[in-house]
Amino acid sequence: GRGVYSFPLQSSPSEGFRANVVNRGQGAGNEDFAPWGGYIGFDTLGPSGGMRKWHFDYRTAPPSDSFDFYTVAVHELAHLLGFGTSTPFVMQLESGRFAGSQASELYGGSVPLHADHQHWGSTVTSPTQQRPATPSLAPQIAPGERRLFTPLDYAAMADIGWEATPEQLGLAGDVNGDLFVDGADFLAWQRNLGGLGGSLGDVDGSRRVDQYDGWLVHQALGAGDSAVAAAGAIAPEPSAVKLLAFALLMLASRRLKAS
């Protein structure tokens, strides 16, 4: 896939009007990235010229011969929203590493980048998870693989001007705070479904407990440090997982400053 932002209005009645449209009134474009929009394209053909196999069902893991559309779409959305492509991102590069303050604090230093300077280095994993995860913005993805946005991905987006909630910077799906994602977390989410104002089960920090939180918990089952988890966790029954369709734009609805 490929995702890029674009700027309209190369000429306009006034520079102030153009600036407000281009950066949506968010301030200096070299500090706080806020593109008006862009585009994403997806390959329909593989390198050999045959049809590329895509897996479109977000509720199930992709088979070994298909690329996960959810994973690729979220990855490309991050590029559209400025990861590896925006001026604020480029201005925080130091000797082939990303030196944004939040990403560096999370990683324990500036984060290595791929040679193209638009992806994390191939060996980079996201901290704050006892079993480190490959980030969404890694340079490559294999068929049969699903990746979620990790704390390191969210931290980098915060460094270029987007908002990241505390929940997004921690172990995804760990509802009860025991550093392991298991059936107990799923049941805690289920019992609080519909809650507002940061209720227990609000995995993504949206201030509400909804079906998307449950999907995140289900996707993260098994992540973390089982040695510190409570013994005898109850596994969720498959019939309990009844998820509604949700938007792929996970980041675009939250801004650091109101426009």
Side-chain angles (χ1 to χ4, degrees):
R2 177 177 172 80
V4 297
Y5 66 90
S6 59
F7 287 143
L9 301 177
Q10 296 305 312
S11 61
S12 62
S14 72
E15 286 303 312
F17 177 79
R18 181 175 182 273
N20 283 336
V21 173
V22 168
N23 210 45
R24 293 194 286 127
Q26 293 299 314
N30 62 347
E31 298 176 357
D32 192 359
F33 190 64
W36 76 278
Y39 67 86
I40 297 177
F42 299 91
D43 292 334
T44 57
L45 301 179
S48 63
M51 293 298 295
R52 185 181 294 279
K53 291 185 178 181
W54 287 101
H55 175 74
F56 293 104
D57 188 352
Y58 67 86
R59 296 165 298 185
T60 61
S64 60
D65 64 345
S66 300
F67 288 93
D68 187 39
F69 185 81
Y70 173 88
T71 297
V72 177
V74 170
H75 175 109
E76 299 305 334
L77 278 168
H79 286 313
L80 187 155
L81 295 172
F83 187 100
T85 59
S86 65
T87 298
F89 187 93
V90 173
M91 290 183 67
Q92 296 179 83
L93 301 185
E94 295 181 358
S95 302
R97 303 171 75 96
F98 182 72
S101 60
Q102 295 202 49
S104 295
E105 180 179 358
L106 194 67
Y107 193 74
S110 58
V111 188
L113 294 173
H114 187 261
D116 63 9
H117 290 178
Q118 294 187 347
H119 300 88
W120 299 126
S122 58
T123 61
V124 168
T125 56
S126 176
T128 75
Q129 304 191 49
Q130 274 56 42
R131 188 176 67 192
T134 301
S136 172
L137 274 302
Q140 294 178 328
I141 183 174
E145 185 177 6
R146 169 163 290 174
R147 292 187 198 149
L148 304 183
F149 232 62
T150 66
L152 185 62
D153 298 311
Y154 279 116
M157 299 306 292
D159 283 328
I160 64 174
W162 300 97
E163 179 181 343
T165 67
E167 292 86 354
Q168 291 167 338
L169 298 176
L171 176 60
D174 184 19
V175 176
N176 59 16
D178 66 355
L179 302 181
F180 186 68
V181 184
D182 57 9
D185 295 294
F186 190 89
L187 292 177
W189 161 79
Q190 196 174 46
R191 289 166 181 159
N192 290 281
L193 181 61
L196 300 175
S199 302
L200 188 67
D202 177 19
V203 175
D204 64 351
S206 65
R207 307 289 294 172
R208 64 179 181 269
V209 183
D210 55 20
Q211 296 285 356
Y212 181 55
D213 294 305
W215 185 84
L216 288 173
V217 175
H218 190 254
Q219 294 296 305
L221 286 174
D225 188 354
S226 59
V228 299
I234 302 173
E237 296 181 7
S239 60
V241 188
K242 298 179 180 178
L243 303 174
L244 302 177
F246 58 89
L248 287 173
L249 283 169
M250 299 175 0
L251 296 169
S253 63
R254 303 188 183 95
R255 291 294 305 155
L256 206 52
K257 297 189 285 291
S259 58

